[in-house]
Amino acid sequence: MSQLCARIIHIRAQVSWGDPLELNDTRSELPEEQSESPVPTAASGTRTAPDATPEPGPHDGPAPTAPLAGTAPVAPTGAPAVSVAPDEASTVPEHGTTPPERTRPRGRTTLIVLAAALLGVSAGAAVGFGVQAGREPTPLPVLAQHGLGYPAKSLPADQAPDPLPAEQDHLRTTDGNLLKLLVDRPKGARDVDGLPAERWVGLSEYAKEFEEPDSMFTSLADMDFRRNAAAVWLQGEYRTTFVNLVQFRPGSRAGATEFFEEQNAYMPYEEGGAGNDGFPIDGSGSGRYYLSPVERKAGYEPMYEARALARRGDIVMDIHVFDNKPIKKKSVEALAEKQWERL
């Protein structure tokens, strides 16, 4: 018996799912006194010898199987169930699944960047203001002009400069009576009933000559409208000519330039304009005259229209010609050039 216990016992357990599993059990050599003790028999109710394989009883369950690699052991049938806390169960990933990634809350990085940028700008402005406030003020450079343009006292007559000629001083011409600058009416022309040949036209009356009087009234007032010298005459049966010398006050607004450019800009358009680029007025720079296409309406005579625009200093020349017959280009050109020469 002692020899039997000293040997290496080879136990071969048949696993239900794989190859036989060989288990090596090494026992140390028992003392002489214990080796001679009798081996309990099966009748006494103790375990049998190692080589004996017990037969399964009617109440014995299937043989326990070894768990697969990477899987959790399964509790045998009849064993008490072990409860798992929800937090612990959620943290244990199932076999073959990828644990969920923790996402970072959106918008936090953007708020951090904006806060840092705002803080940087505020700090920079505060530092710059502090540096600039601590500096001493820089004195302005000395003016190049030592004296005033006009002395406090008038110069003697022998030292006073000669006035500019009329060709160089536009104010000598335009500050006077503008009615004298109106072009002479052609021979055979007659007065229009109810209207004098030459007259002063106010802002509200001149604004009524446009399609939107209220808007034009406001625009002319903003442009510092000063006055308007007008002439009107009648030729033939229906041909009527209106000549306007519209003057604006001098200032930073430059109302004459603004009014002339606005009126000249929309004339090439078909709606409200002549529908063409017009023709230049000799010697006037950007002055032009336009011939509009005939306008026909049921129950009315056909209407032809021509217009001439030019600017000299603070005066805008605005000429309108209406007739029920075609208007010749040369007649409009000659009238515009004569009025321009008077200016």
Side-chain angles (χ1 to χ4, degrees):
M1 188 66 181
S2 60
Q3 296 178 356
L4 181 62
C5 296
R7 295 179 183 179
I8 299 174
I9 301 175
H10 300 281
I11 300 174
R12 304 176 62 89
Q14 181 66 33
V15 182
S16 60
W17 66 86
D19 296 335
L21 179 63
E22 183 175 354
L23 302 177
N24 297 332
D25 187 11
T26 305
R27 288 187 179 182
S28 61
E29 188 173 352
L30 296 176
E32 201 63 33
E33 294 79 5
Q34 298 179 1
S35 62
E36 295 179 358
S37 60
V39 178
T41 61
S44 60
T46 59
R47 67 180 180 88
T48 60
D51 291 341
T53 304
E55 294 181 1
H59 298 288
D60 296 337
T65 58
L68 294 175
T71 60
V74 181
T77 306
V82 179
S83 61
V84 182
D87 294 340
E88 296 179 358
S90 61
T91 57
V92 179
E94 296 182 359
H95 179 68
T97 61
T98 304
E101 298 181 358
R102 298 181 62 184
T103 58
R104 190 173 183 178
R106 297 182 179 179
R108 183 175 299 176
T109 303
T110 305
L111 293 177
I112 294 175
V113 173
L114 291 177
L118 181 60
L119 181 61
V121 172
S122 301
V127 173
F129 178 80
V131 172
Q132 188 66 23
R135 295 178 179 176
E136 296 183 359
T138 303
L140 296 175
V142 182
L143 297 177
Q145 185 178 359
H146 299 286
L148 296 176
Y150 296 93
K153 297 181 179 181
S154 302
L155 296 175
D158 56 347
Q159 297 181 9
D162 297 333
L164 293 175
E167 304 85 48
Q168 300 179 12
D169 189 2
H170 297 165
L171 293 179
R172 291 185 57 185
T173 305
T174 58
D175 278 349
N177 188 359
L178 289 183
L179 297 177
K180 296 181 179 180
L181 298 180
L182 290 170
V183 67
D184 297 333
R185 63 170 60 185
K187 295 181 179 180
R190 61 187 186 274
D191 295 341
V192 177
D193 296 340
L195 293 176
E198 297 177 354
R199 62 194 179 98
W200 295 102
V201 177
L203 174 58
S204 59
E205 185 178 355
Y206 180 62
K208 293 179 181 179
E209 298 181 7
F210 296 86
E211 294 182 357
E212 299 180 1
D214 296 339
S215 176
M216 182 55 62
F217 180 89
T218 304
S219 298
L220 291 172
D222 293 339
M223 297 175 191
D224 293 333
F225 174 90
R226 181 181 177 184
R227 55 181 178 173
N228 177 19
V232 59
W233 61 81
L234 182 65
Q235 293 176 282
E237 186 177 3
Y238 294 107
R239 183 166 182 171
T240 308
T241 303
F242 297 89
V243 179
N244 296 279
L245 299 181
V246 187
Q247 188 176 25
F248 297 83
R249 295 182 179 86
S252 59
R253 184 65 184 267
T257 303
E258 186 175 351
F259 176 71
F260 169 73
E261 291 179 352
E262 286 183 358
Q263 296 300 310
N264 219 20
Y266 83 84
M267 288 302 297
Y269 294 97
E270 294 183 359
E271 184 177 357
N276 56 77
D277 295 332
F279 307 94
I281 301 175
D282 292 341
S284 65
S286 56
R288 306 185 73 82
Y289 65 95
Y290 304 86
L291 298 177
S292 301
V294 60
E295 181 179 351
R296 301 180 185 275
K297 290 183 179 180
Y300 293 90
E301 294 281 346
M303 185 178 68
Y304 297 84
E305 181 182 359
R307 188 181 187 187
L309 288 165
R311 182 189 68 85
R312 180 175 177 83
D314 56 357
I315 296 178
V316 176
M317 179 188 76
D318 188 9
I319 301 176
H320 292 264
V321 181
F322 301 93
D323 200 350
N324 63 343
K325 298 179 181 179
I327 303 173
K328 295 182 180 180
K329 174 185 173 183
K330 290 184 178 181
S331 62
V332 180
E333 181 182 9
L335 176 61
E337 290 179 355
K338 288 180 179 180
Q339 180 58 75
W340 177 255
E341 290 175 359
R342 297 293 297 269
L343 290 176

